[in-house]
Amino acid sequence: MNMTAYERVKIARSEKRPTGLDYINNIFKNFYEFHGDRFYADDTAIVGGIAYLEKMPVTVIAIEKGHSAKERAFRSFGMPNPEGYRKAMRLMKQAEKFHRPVICFVDTSGAFCGIGAEERGQGEAIARNLMEMMTLNTPVISIFVGEGGSGGALALAVSDRVWMLENAVYSVISPEGCASILWKDASKADAAASNLKMTAEDAKNFGIIEEIISEDDIDKPMFYDNIKEKLNNEITMLMKENNLLEKRYERFRVIGRPLVQR
């Protein structure tokens, strides 16, 4: 079924859509959550810890939105604060130390933009994640399962492989924000979404992601089984990679080049 970009945005934002914890609970075993960034506080918008992918120990990090209004308020509507990104990086560094692969589930409209977040160094926290992930010496896979908003999403997506669900979106700004800036009219979000090229198909065409995951069975157990199998196969291959950091660097260097030059 053909849908406009903005129709996919609406699907990506649906409260009925699986959230980060749904993926953790249905794909992994023996998940043990870690809390806090050892600097300020624990950010409930980011859930992270260690788990087993089949028999393989992994570090799992997910942006969690929640389903109900109460859950969404508790999770800051999936908009992480600086301490959330610092918690994520603490877990990634721990994973590197113990040679565990890292798996990130991304679903955020963007990083939290409150005064407190800015005072605690929101921009620095995101920038540090980008820098540290580029040289993290362990395999990293990121999956966009809903919204992928700007640096708030990119802070968990400097990875060896980036996948998107077919109705997920990834963009530097929301369609409403873009329309407000370009046309001074947020009601033109539909046109903005089309021009932003934010769908999974667009991201695949531009070489920003490697794979689009079908949502045909998103309400069935086989949906999670399919992702589990893909993750297991991909991580097994990445664990054998001798030039992991060089290939990750090159992966990002070629983004933006015409496809004929790749």
Side-chain angles (χ1 to χ4, degrees):
M1 180 176 67
N2 291 326
M3 288 188 288
T4 67
Y6 197 55
E7 286 174 333
R8 292 190 187 275
V9 171
K10 291 178 180 178
I11 293 174
R13 292 173 175 171
S14 172
E15 63 183 21
K16 297 179 181 179
R17 195 172 180 81
T19 64
L21 279 172
D22 293 319
Y23 289 93
I24 290 175
N25 293 331
N26 284 283
I27 294 174
F28 305 94
K29 296 183 296 184
N30 301 327
F31 176 67
Y32 188 90
E33 185 177 357
F34 286 81
H35 297 273
D37 65 344
R38 293 185 177 174
F39 285 99
Y40 180 76
D42 184 44
D43 185 1
T44 55
I46 290 186
V47 176
I50 56 177
Y52 279 94
L53 177 65
E54 299 293 359
K55 297 181 180 180
M56 183 188 307
V58 297
T59 289
V60 186
I61 300 166
I63 298 178
E64 172 63 23
K65 279 186 173 180
H67 290 287
S68 67
K70 185 176 180 180
E71 287 176 351
R72 291 200 164 200
F74 176 69
R75 300 289 181 180
S76 296
F77 298 88
M79 295 184 291
N81 279 279
E83 49 270 22
Y85 294 113
R86 290 174 180 138
K87 173 171 67 173
M89 182 46 57
R90 177 170 78 86
L91 295 178
M92 291 182 201
K93 283 295 187 181
Q94 182 193 76
E96 180 183 48
K97 178 179 180 180
F98 293 103
H99 308 292
R100 289 193 301 266
V102 176
I103 302 166
C104 299
F105 294 92
V106 181
D107 184 11
T108 181
S109 59
F112 192 73
C113 56
I115 294 175
E118 295 300 327
E119 289 175 340
R120 296 193 301 277
Q122 185 72 286
E124 186 276 341
I126 291 173
R128 183 167 295 276
N129 274 32
L130 305 185
M131 178 181 71
E132 296 286 359
M133 288 185 75
M134 186 58 75
T135 58
L136 195 72
N137 197 17
T138 197
V140 186
I141 295 177
S142 296
I143 306 176
F144 284 74
V145 297
E147 287 186 276
S150 194
L154 184 59
L156 294 182
V158 181
S159 311
D160 301 294
R161 300 288 186 272
V162 180
W163 302 340
M164 288 178 68
L165 268 64
E166 65 177 303
N167 289 316
V169 292
Y170 191 12
S171 175
V172 70
I173 192 172
S174 70
E176 295 83 1
C178 178
S180 297
I181 292 171
L182 291 182
W183 300 298
K184 312 299 182 185
D185 184 357
S187 67
K188 294 185 177 180
D190 197 335
S194 177
N195 284 284
L196 282 168
K197 304 298 182 185
M198 62 195 304
T199 68
E201 290 87 350
D202 293 324
K204 181 76 180 294
N205 290 336
F206 288 128
I208 295 170
I209 67 170
E210 279 76 28
E211 186 166 344
I212 299 173
I213 299 173
S214 171
E215 296 186 23
D216 289 345
D217 301 309
I218 196 168
D219 57 345
K220 299 176 183 177
M222 66 180 67
F223 170 72
Y224 297 104
D225 292 339
N226 178 46
I227 295 177
K228 182 192 298 184
E229 183 179 0
K230 289 178 182 292
L231 284 170
N232 199 37
N233 292 339
E234 198 68 40
I235 288 174
T236 299
M237 183 180 70
L238 288 171
M239 292 289 280
K240 299 175 182 178
E241 181 60 63
N242 293 322
N243 301 309
L244 187 70
L245 298 184
E246 290 85 351
K247 290 190 175 181
R248 186 184 305 157
Y249 174 80
E250 185 58 27
R251 178 190 182 279
F252 284 90
R253 288 289 293 174
V254 300
I255 291 176
R257 293 182 191 170
L259 293 178
V260 294
Q261 294 181 13
R262 297 182 184 179

